[in-house]
Amino acid sequence: MEIVNKEFDNGKPFDFGKTSADYAKYRDIYPPQFYGKLVELGIGVAGQQALDLGTGTGVLPRNMYRFGATWTGTDISGNQIRYARGLTEKAGMKIAYTVSSAEELSFPPASFDVVTACQCFMYFDKAVIVPKIHRWLKRGGHFAVLFMAWLPAESEIAAKTEELVLKYNPDWNGARWQRSPVTFPDWAEPYFELEHALGFDIPVTFSREGWHGRIKACRGIGASSLGAEQIAAWEREHRAYLATLPETFSILHYATILNLRKKEAGV
């Protein structure tokens, strides 16, 4: 399903469902350290009912499954959920999936101990979804906003790749990411208290093919409104650049975890 948001790419439509095959193959990249941090914070552990918004191909619930929570994943894209279900079934896991925009979801009050939004919360209408998340959470429940991005200022490979994406899609505004402090946001104050605000570096190892697929599955290329010929031209140029690199390499990423606890009074 196409999404149009004036805050992204000059309002040009994007649809991650168009890139689900690449997304499923190449975007399962969060290192063990990332999931370990969540477990340390008591997120997605045994005995919990957990909801993952914007789940895509189910990357977060599938990787957190071994820690014992019961997961539900939702996404606006039917194609993303189709791949999520296939990967989950292949792995012998039991995860419930629903196709819906986050804003249109409906769950009974106090349905979940944990709600997560990984790499997607910036796309949601906070005025609609934040009060809903508060209602869906049980007493003392947690809402975790998660993000991880490469740092082009500290990786020549990431910087060169961004240059090539912008050559073909100059409206893409996902480039030039930098570290920024994780703070308690204004939208959260009426509904949540701050439990943890973490930011930490994570090196991620890629093969040449893995990095190419990761970028093709991003909003700037495969999920964008670029035509097939433009995407093919980008692929040729990017592969030619990657051929000059070692077969494997590490790219430094910056990960953030905003862990919020449900506020029980004053709402």
Side-chain angles (χ1 to χ4, degrees):
M1 179 175 178
E2 283 193 340
I3 299 172
V4 177
N5 187 318
K6 64 182 180 181
E7 295 183 12
F8 298 95
D9 310 338
N10 283 327
K12 288 192 173 180
F14 58 93
D15 177 5
F16 285 104
K18 295 193 300 185
T19 190
S20 292
D22 287 325
Y23 201 108
K25 187 174 182 179
Y26 296 113
R27 287 201 60 165
D28 192 347
I29 62 168
Y30 302 97
Q33 180 187 352
F34 182 82
Y35 300 111
K37 285 283 187 183
L38 297 180
V39 174
E40 288 176 17
L41 301 179
I43 296 170
V45 297
Q48 292 180 340
Q49 295 287 329
L51 170 67
D52 186 41
L53 301 172
T55 198
T57 59
V59 171
L60 189 74
R62 287 187 288 106
N63 281 278
M64 292 294 293
Y65 189 83
R66 65 187 182 274
F67 299 112
T70 299
W71 283 92
T72 298
T74 73
D75 200 276
I76 195 172
S77 168
N79 204 34
Q80 291 281 76
I81 292 297
R82 181 170 68 87
Y83 274 85
R85 286 173 174 152
L87 291 167
T88 298
E89 181 179 354
K90 184 177 180 180
M93 301 175 182
K94 292 183 179 180
I95 299 171
Y97 291 105
T98 298
V99 179
S100 175
S101 69
E103 295 83 356
E104 293 177 348
L105 285 167
S106 178
F107 295 103
S111 291
F112 300 101
D113 301 283
V114 168
V115 176
T116 57
C118 184
Q119 216 78 6
C120 61
F121 191 63
M122 63 278 200
Y123 300 130
F124 299 162
D125 184 340
K126 296 175 181 61
V128 175
I129 191 60
V130 173
K132 284 192 168 191
I133 293 170
H134 182 268
R135 289 196 301 272
W136 296 337
L137 283 170
K138 299 176 184 178
R139 178 177 292 273
H142 286 78
F143 174 41
V145 181
L146 316 173
F147 191 76
M148 189 178 81
W150 60 79
L151 296 168
E154 298 176 50
S155 168
E156 182 180 349
I157 296 171
K160 178 62 175 178
T161 293
E162 285 191 349
E163 289 178 15
L164 291 176
V165 174
L166 290 167
K167 175 180 177 180
Y168 290 91
N169 187 0
D171 290 306
W172 179 56
N173 63 351
R176 306 183 182 96
W177 193 264
Q178 298 179 358
R179 291 181 193 83
S180 59
V182 187
T183 58
F184 186 58
D186 292 342
W187 53 259
E189 198 280 331
Y191 301 98
F192 297 97
E193 297 175 352
L194 179 63
E195 188 93 343
H196 302 96
L198 306 177
F200 50 96
D201 289 353
I202 301 183
V204 182
T205 300
F206 293 91
S207 66
R208 291 185 298 209
E209 182 64 23
W211 177 244
H212 180 80
R214 164 65 184 95
I215 300 303
K216 187 182 176 186
C218 81
R219 199 181 72 238
I221 297 294
S224 73
S225 56
L226 294 178
E229 291 185 2
Q230 292 173 295
I231 293 174
W234 172 83
E235 287 207 74
R236 287 192 295 271
E237 193 163 353
H238 192 236
R239 287 189 185 280
Y241 165 65
L242 292 177
T244 68
L245 303 177
E247 176 55 35
T248 61
F249 45 82
S250 179
I251 293 182
L252 189 64
H253 285 59
Y254 182 63
T256 61
I257 299 175
L258 177 66
N259 182 24
L260 305 172
R261 183 177 64 255
K262 179 177 179 175
K263 187 183 286 188
E264 299 298 338
V267 177

